[in-house]
Amino acid sequence: MRAVWTLAIKDLRLLVRDRVSLFWVLAFPLLLALFFGSMFGGDEGERAAMKVVAFDESGGAAQAFLARLGESDAIEIDTAPSLQEARDRVRRGERVAFVHVRPDFSDGSFAMFGRPADARAPVALGVDPARTAERGLLQGLVTQALFSGMTESLGDPSRMLDQTRKVRAQLADAPELAPQRRRSLETLMDALDQVSRSNDPSEPASEDAGGAVPMGEALVESVPVDRDRSGKPRSPYEVTFPSSIVWGLMGCATAFATTLVRERRAGTMFRLRVSPLSLAHVLAGKGLACMLAGLGASAVLLAIGVIALGVRVVDPLLLGLSLVAASACFCGLMMVMSVLGRTESAVAGGSWVVMMPLAMIGGGMIPLIAMPPWLLTASNASPFKWAIFAIEGAVWRDLTLAEVLPSLLVLLAIAVGLFALGVTILRRREG
Amino acid sequence: MAILGGAMLEARDLRKSFGELRAVDGVSFDIERAESFGLLGPNGAGKSTTISMLVGALLPDSGTVRLDGDRSPSAPATRREIGVAPQDLAIYEELSAEENLAFFGRIYGLRGRRLAERVSWGLELAGLSGRRKDRAETFSGGMKRRLNLACAAVHEPRLLLCDEPTVGVDPQSRNHIFESIEALRADGCTLLYTTHYMEEAERLCERVAIMDHGRILALGSVPELIAEHGGAATVEVELAEAPPSTAVLPGPLDGLTLRVQTEDPLPAVESLGGQGLAIKRLRIDRPDLERVFLNLTGRSLRD
Ligand SMILES: Nc1ncnc2c1ncn2[C@@H]1O[C@H](COP(=O)(O)OP(=O)(O)OP(=O)(O)O)[C@@H](O)[C@H]1O
Ligand SMILES: [Mg+2]
């Protein structure tokens, strides 16, 4: 055991002095955690607002709509003197999108109900094609601003009745409208009229109306978000750090996989083989070093996450167990990768070929919580998934030991299986 | 280790082929306790392959190795008594001189004060006491070679195998290595030394096996080998003027140069002087191991 310890300490010392390995073990995972963590955006308020330019042809009818749009934290809005100018600002990348309010816009937008089917929408949205990620959000925000116009009208009976009257007039003016559509619109207007009357304090309330609530408020209730509620990541860093820890373990495994061939090339393997140590000692030393390095790297990454970025650990004991199992699992992978080639570059290349797909399907790149169901099923084949799940279980999922146990057992089974496989191949090779 | 009779190391009919190539082809020899034994041969003779089999790093195709009586070279207790300085440097470049020595000391079971003592001894041996904290990667080739040797001897082995410990080493470092090895010898360490420099074999080895193409061609002490395979000494005399016609020359004359092959060169020179010849220059070439090798193989040790 002492000899194994001596070997492990030597390997750890070599690792610490090898800048390239250190990069993969610590710096790269940390960069990943920080990069993805900041990309998914921490607090809403911290995210830079999207700059949007508006061109308004409604002659003032859209003022309330544009003001509502600008109220959103996510949007910063200004106006352009012409449609061409608005479009150019987006083309030049100065704005994310332009909002074109067309002349036929009328707030509340009930007018749209009576519009002929081929009429243009009252509002056009042009989004920079490079900003696909924001397109959906922008469309949502614009629609929301339009709708809250409507809900405001719903809450104001006189405006509402006025709107429905306008729509009825338009319906009468549109003989080309299909009878079925006409009927359904008329039914809708009837219903809206009734809602408005029931809200109107000047009209006698029907018996069951009870205390009328303004529509807009009834639709969405705002509740305080309990930030410490367990079972949910409190910040994106709680999602990115567990996976970055697993990247660190992977860095360790790749680094140690190459040390066996490196020792053979440097001739130190020869010395070890003619010493009183057995091959078992040598391999156990490698395994122990890999495991300790993995735990050390995890501890460093986690400490940075906890101290600098407010990552919580809901169950430190479970986290310890998870990290031990995950490190062991990657030790097993290391053993198998170390026999992938006879030169350092062959082993390093082979390791990446093995690791990358495992990382990709196992949540190393797309977080498990963001995975589509089919990928989540596929991820079961990757030790990455089990390791991340076990670590997340202790970091934010707040799982019990019983819930994490299957993952731990899978990790340990992979560890034992792969380690044995690697050792068998090495034994045969070294003679 | 039990003090048994018999050789420290016994190699019997070792054979090893790599594919078609017979790297070692029936090698047998004994090394006595506290003896220094040399394997002298050109590149590719099979010296390193033999060493690998002797220490159990390579499995022979056939043949046996026994150490210190009848122990196998792969038993841990036997290995503790052996030190190997491989031909290819085998040190950790990223560790300092001191850390390398301490690591190899530890894996041979040294601890605490004993370890510290041996590490200083090794640094002294390697002439690296002043650079103990420097990483091996910052050392010159000769310094690394010396460290390579010190790492092999740090655990005080009773049998030390040095595989060409002086390649690429300047004369001063080479001398330092010789002195170190002689110091180890003085402490009773048994030595196996491979080289293709005959001067090294002559200086360090009591007995030498001459090896070529995987076989031992001759084995014995240096004087024995020379007496047996070296042939006669050559006396070469350059005369100042043509010899008088009455002179009886002991050999053929080529211009003014006379060459005489003789087992015993001094009487031959005396008799030439007695004939009143005017000698301008005199050279006696005694046979050496180089000559032995030439006579045995028809080639010189190094091309
Ligand atoms: N692992 C190997 N695979 C194939 N051939 C080998 C191997 N090791 C040695 N050989 C061959 O065996 C022969 C003997 O090699 P060896 O290294 O024992 O020679 P050597 O006497 O030590 O030479 P040198 O003085 O150059 O070190 C050589 O022809 C070499 O090519
Ligand atoms: Mg050699």
Side-chain angles (χ1 to χ4, degrees):
Chain A
M1 190 56 217
R2 251 178 156 182
V4 173
W5 189 252
T6 302
L7 287 163
I9 296 291
K10 177 263 300 171
D11 271 331
L12 289 175
R13 201 171 255 157
L14 293 178
L15 176 74
V16 170
R17 292 184 186 173
D18 180 1
R19 273 160 212 230
V20 177
S21 296
L22 269 194
F23 173 80
W24 292 113
V25 169
L26 282 178
F28 178 67
L30 185 61
L31 287 176
L32 276 186
L34 295 178
F35 175 71
F36 283 111
S38 62
M39 204 173 80
F40 293 135
D43 302 316
E44 286 299 316
E46 277 174 17
R47 198 197 326 228
M50 284 178 285
K51 292 199 168 127
V52 171
V53 60
F55 173 61
D56 184 3
E57 288 185 292
S58 70
Q63 236 164 25
F65 158 69
L66 290 175
R68 276 194 300 276
L69 195 56
E71 270 166 25
S72 160
D73 285 339
I75 287 185
E76 202 180 294
I77 201 161
D78 64 349
T79 54
S82 72
L83 181 59
Q84 190 54 44
E85 173 64 18
R87 196 174 276 135
D88 284 347
R89 284 189 198 169
V90 175
R91 269 198 312 109
R92 289 195 296 264
E94 298 163 6
R95 300 290 182 275
V96 176
F98 68 85
V99 175
H100 176 203
V101 181
R102 294 195 166 125
D104 46 357
F105 180 94
S106 93
D107 202 14
S109 297
F110 279 90
M112 71 179 85
F113 289 121
R115 304 159 58 79
D118 57 351
R120 293 186 316 170
V123 176
L125 176 69
V127 184
D128 182 346
R131 311 290 289 262
T132 41
E134 283 96 340
R135 179 189 302 276
L137 179 57
L138 270 169
Q139 268 165 352
L141 288 167
V142 170
T143 315
Q144 187 191 1
L146 279 171
F147 259 95
S148 52
M150 272 202 243
T151 52
E152 262 171 37
S153 314
L154 284 170
D156 179 346
S158 58
R159 256 179 79 191
M160 180 71 155
L161 290 169
D162 191 39
Q163 292 280 0
T164 52
R165 224 181 342 268
K166 270 191 205 156
V167 175
R168 282 180 207 281
Q170 278 169 355
L171 287 178
D173 267 3
E176 75 282 7
L177 208 63
Q180 200 180 339
R181 185 161 161 77
R182 180 188 302 274
R183 234 185 345 272
S184 62
L185 284 172
E186 278 168 356
T187 318
L188 176 65
M189 293 307 124
D190 291 345
L192 288 172
D193 283 350
Q194 201 163 356
V195 170
S196 310
R197 287 203 187 89
S198 70
N199 279 351
D200 193 345
S202 60
E203 303 247 342
S206 57
E207 275 129 63
D208 56 337
V213 186
M215 283 293 281
E217 281 166 50
L219 284 175
V220 181
E221 183 194 5
S222 310
V223 291
V225 177
D226 182 1
R227 310 209 82 196
D228 279 310
R229 216 173 91 202
S230 293
K232 271 192 187 154
R234 193 173 55 165
S235 78
Y237 294 109
E238 294 192 346
V239 179
T240 60
F241 266 85
S243 80
S244 89
I245 286 173
V246 181
W247 278 99
L249 295 180
M250 182 182 129
C252 284
T254 348
F256 280 99
T258 56
T259 64
L260 269 170
V261 260
R262 187 182 300 178
E263 294 229 31
R264 210 172 297 136
R265 181 178 54 73
T268 46
M269 194 64 179
F270 177 86
R271 264 198 208 280
L272 297 178
R273 300 290 287 119
V274 301
S275 78
L277 303 183
S278 65
L279 186 59
H281 279 114
V282 175
L283 299 182
K286 286 275 175 243
L288 179 63
C290 182
M291 178 118 189
L292 291 175
L295 289 173
S298 308
V300 171
L301 289 170
L302 207 63
I304 294 172
V306 168
I307 294 166
L309 298 158
V311 171
R312 298 157 306 172
V313 174
V314 291
D315 190 342
L317 196 68
L318 190 60
L319 180 66
L321 283 177
S322 300
L323 288 178
V324 168
S327 307
C329 175
F330 277 82
C331 265
L333 269 172
M334 177 275 286
M335 255 322 148
V336 168
M337 292 191 306
S338 70
V339 299
L340 285 178
R342 286 176 189 268
T343 63
E344 277 169 71
S345 48
V347 169
S351 302
W352 284 106
V353 168
V354 170
M355 287 295 196
M356 275 303 155
L358 292 182
M360 271 192 260
I361 65 167
M365 295 178 185
I366 307 167
L368 292 176
I369 50 169
M371 274 190 184
W374 65 270
L375 190 53
L376 207 55
T377 312
S379 72
N380 287 340
S382 168
F384 252 86
K385 183 250 176 81
W386 300 104
I388 291 178
F389 186 76
I391 296 169
E392 282 184 347
V395 169
W396 58 264
R397 286 184 192 268
D398 197 17
L399 301 181
T400 62
L401 177 59
E403 286 169 313
V404 175
L405 199 59
S407 305
L408 298 184
L409 291 178
V410 168
L411 288 170
L412 291 175
I414 297 176
V416 172
L418 293 184
F419 202 87
L421 177 67
V423 168
T424 312
I425 297 174
L426 272 174
R427 271 242 162 93
R428 196 160 299 161
R429 203 179 272 182
E430 295 279 331
Chain B
M1 191 181 260
I3 303 295
L4 293 168
M8 181 72 182
L9 186 150
E10 216 182 276
R12 286 289 170 272
D13 201 27
L14 291 177
R15 287 170 200 277
K16 183 77 197 180
S17 297
F18 298 106
E20 290 288 284
L21 182 91
R22 287 186 189 172
V24 175
D25 193 11
V27 162
S28 303
F29 58 85
D30 288 355
I31 303 178
E32 302 302 327
R33 283 160 209 290
E35 187 187 21
S36 67
F37 186 90
L39 274 180
L40 178 68
N43 292 143
K47 306 181 294 292
S48 299
T49 308
T50 303
I51 287 208
S52 293
M53 291 190 284
L54 293 179
V55 296
L58 193 64
L59 219 56
D61 296 339
S62 69
T64 54
V65 177
R66 285 195 289 182
L67 285 146
D68 200 25
D70 58 356
R71 305 203 297 182
S72 136
S74 42
T78 320
R79 289 187 157 173
R80 218 174 288 278
E81 311 284 347
I82 306 176
V84 193
Q87 177 176 4
D88 299 321
L89 289 176
I91 49 178
Y92 292 102
E93 298 264 334
E94 304 85 352
L95 296 186
S96 69
E98 196 171 34
E99 287 165 341
N100 266 292
L101 286 164
F103 171 72
F104 287 113
R106 275 199 197 94
I107 64 171
Y108 280 87
L110 298 182
R111 293 285 184 276
R113 259 200 35 212
R114 182 91 193 103
L115 178 67
E117 277 169 23
R118 291 305 295 173
V119 168
S120 331
W121 174 90
L123 288 167
E124 202 65 39
L125 176 105
L128 290 170
S129 300
R131 300 194 57 178
R132 61 201 307 151
K133 301 271 182 226
D134 293 352
R135 291 193 195 175
E137 61 196 356
T138 67
F139 292 165
S140 75
M143 291 162 138
K144 289 182 190 171
R145 188 113 335 252
R146 275 151 31 196
L147 181 59
N148 192 48
L149 176 64
C151 287
V154 69
H155 61 289
E156 274 191 291
R158 293 182 54 214
L159 170 64
L160 181 64
L161 300 97
C162 299
D163 196 354
E164 306 200 25
T166 58
V167 281
V169 164
D170 67 21
Q172 203 183 333
S173 288
R174 178 185 293 223
N175 226 19
H176 189 94
I177 288 179
F178 289 165
E179 283 164 15
S180 312
I181 289 176
E182 278 161 348
L184 286 165
R185 294 262 302 111
D187 291 342
C189 180
T190 309
L191 178 72
L192 173 67
Y193 189 99
T194 81
T195 181
H196 46 85
Y197 294 108
M198 60 140 197
E199 316 84 41
E200 295 188 358
E202 279 175 351
R203 171 166 176 180
L204 292 171
C205 303
E206 291 160 338
R207 284 197 307 145
V208 175
I210 293 178
M211 229 184 143
D212 193 29
H213 294 311
R215 293 168 173 276
I216 290 183
L217 304 178
L219 193 159
S221 69
V222 175
E224 280 168 11
L225 286 171
I226 290 171
E228 204 169 325
H229 305 283
T234 306
V235 177
E236 196 178 277
V237 183
E238 200 183 319
L239 299 173
E241 56 192 47
S245 54
T246 53
V248 182
L249 298 177
L253 190 67
D254 173 15
L256 287 177
T257 308
L258 179 70
R259 272 197 199 84
V260 183
Q261 302 274 334
T262 169
E263 297 291 330
D264 219 356
L266 285 180
V269 171
E270 252 168 48
S271 89
L272 284 174
Q275 293 197 39
L277 295 172
I279 296 176
K280 186 177 161 198
R281 205 166 52 85
L282 176 72
R283 211 176 100 176
I284 302 173
D285 282 329
R286 285 185 176 280
D288 54 15
L289 287 177
E290 181 72 50
R291 176 74 75 76
V292 170
F293 188 82
L294 189 72
N295 290 343
L296 285 169
T297 65
R299 294 179 291 124
S300 68
L301 258 175
R302 274 162 291 139
D303 325 293

